[in-house]
């Protein structure tokens, strides 16, 4: 929950050059990816965090694009996980 909102926050942070916020968001996603079993999310978030530390805006932009695609897939998979199940309550 809130994954796509987090991506909007990251975009806003990049646009406003709030790099500390962007680094914090990337760090949070890095940990969440590992905790929820999405190692690719962790890997890309770690690369984004490194790009922020290096002040590499082009790499930041690329990293956010890749993270957005991954997050969309995670959310789509999560939403589809309940399909085909009957109401068990």
């Amino acid at each position: 929950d809130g994954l796509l909102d987090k991506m909007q926050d990251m975009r806003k942070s990049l646009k406003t050059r709030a790099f500390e916020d962007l680094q914090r968001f990337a760090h949070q996603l890095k940990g969440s990816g590992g905790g929820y079993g999405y190692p690719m999310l962790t890997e890309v978030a770690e690369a984004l965090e490194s790009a922020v530390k290096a002040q590499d805006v082009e790499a930041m932009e690329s990293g956010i694009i890749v993270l957005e695609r991954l997050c969309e897939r995670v959310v789509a998979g999560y939403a589809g996980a309940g399909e085909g199940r009957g109401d068990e309550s």
Side-chain angles (χ1 to χ4, degrees), residues 21-87:
D21 292 339
L22 181 56
Q23 184 175 345
R24 182 172 37 86
F25 293 140
H27 185 79
Q28 290 170 348
L29 275 179
K30 181 176 74 172
S32 296
Y36 287 104
Y38 295 101
M40 185 173 278
L41 186 64
T42 297
E43 188 177 306
V44 175
E46 184 174 24
L48 175 59
E49 187 178 16
S50 295
V52 175
K53 288 177 183 176
Q55 298 291 301
D56 185 342
V57 175
E58 187 175 315
M60 289 182 226
E61 291 170 348
S62 297
I64 288 175
I65 290 169
V66 173
L67 274 175
E68 284 175 330
R69 290 179 185 153
L70 287 172
C71 289
E72 287 169 1
R73 290 172 55 195
V74 167
V75 170
Y78 177 75
E83 292 178 7
R85 294 187 324 194
D87 184 7

Side-chain angles (χ1 to χ4, degrees), residues 4-20:
L4 298 180
D5 291 336
K6 180 76 68 182
M7 292 309 307
Q8 287 179 336
D9 292 342
M10 292 176 81
R11 276 251 171 237
K12 182 179 178 183
S13 295
L14 178 60
K15 183 177 181 180
T16 62
R17 300 300 195 241
F19 295 134
E20 287 182 18

